[in-house]
Amino acid sequence: MEIEIKKCEWNDNSIDAVVELSRKWESEDATFGYCANDQNDLIGSDLVAAYLGDEMVGYLFGKCIVLQEAIAPIEKGKKCFEIGEIYVTEKYRSKGIGQALFKFIENYYKQKADYITLSTATKNYKSILHFYIEKMGMTFWSAKLFKEIK
């Protein structure tokens, strides 16, 4: 399996492919409140995609921002690449594609940002914590939990 990670441009067909993959993600019902993207959701984002031949099997997009206010562990004025979404199709999960997408962004922003940040609303927190903390070396900072009262 030869996966290629590419930075996408707005003038290629990758935006439509991301929108289609986000519809698949929505149908999985794996994330609280997730709604599929349309092209407008991606405007201004940096987008990288994982391809197996001509088929897009995953993507990551986000934006680089300068913090206008400090957030607990990060000082005001620091540059952060905020991951908006990272997704790999179910068939290709646990094959290193998510890691490859993350590492591509990490290397791309190495000289342009101080941090990578993200928020998640996954229903599978154990998998997400394993991926981001144990595999990608991120640090846990915050959590918002809920329980429905019945």
Side-chain angles (χ1 to χ4, degrees):
M1 178 172 79
E2 185 66 31
I3 296 294
E4 182 181 7
I5 307 296
K6 296 192 253 186
K7 189 165 184 329
C8 300
E9 302 300 329
W10 278 92
N11 59 356
D12 61 24
N13 295 328
S14 57
I15 303 304
D16 292 335
V18 167
V19 169
E20 186 57 36
L21 285 183
S22 76
R23 287 185 187 123
K24 282 185 180 182
W25 187 0
E26 181 180 41
S27 72
E28 291 176 15
D29 193 31
T31 305
F32 293 104
Y34 183 78
C35 295
N37 295 297
D38 63 30
Q39 288 189 355
N40 293 328
D41 296 324
L42 305 173
I43 292 173
S45 294
D46 282 329
L47 169 64
V48 294
Y51 289 89
L52 182 57
D54 291 335
E55 178 187 9
M56 184 186 289
V57 297
Y59 66 84
L60 181 156
F61 70 80
K63 297 178 182 179
C64 194
I65 63 157
V66 176
L67 292 181
Q68 300 302 309
E69 295 182 24
I71 55 176
I74 306 173
E75 301 169 16
K76 175 182 177 179
K78 292 292 185 179
K79 293 179 186 170
C80 297
F81 181 83
E82 287 188 322
I83 295 175
E85 290 182 11
I86 182 171
Y87 175 76
V88 175
T89 58
E90 199 167 11
K91 179 179 177 182
Y92 295 103
R93 290 185 192 144
S94 299
K95 298 185 184 319
I97 296 170
Q99 288 177 291
L101 288 164
F102 189 99
K103 287 294 186 187
F104 185 98
I105 282 294
E106 185 174 20
N107 289 330
Y108 183 82
Y109 275 97
K110 195 171 265 182
Q111 304 301 318
K112 301 172 188 161
D114 302 300
Y115 295 91
I116 294 175
T117 61
L118 66 90
S119 296
T120 183
T122 186
K123 293 179 181 179
N124 185 352
Y125 72 91
K126 290 179 183 177
S127 175
I128 290 298
L129 291 176
H130 171 73
F131 177 76
Y132 288 113
I133 293 173
E134 294 174 17
K135 290 194 169 209
M136 304 319 306
M138 294 187 88
T139 301
F140 185 86
W141 163 46
S142 177
K144 186 168 198 152
L145 307 174
F146 71 93
K147 179 179 181 179
E148 183 178 3
I149 301 173
K150 297 180 180 185

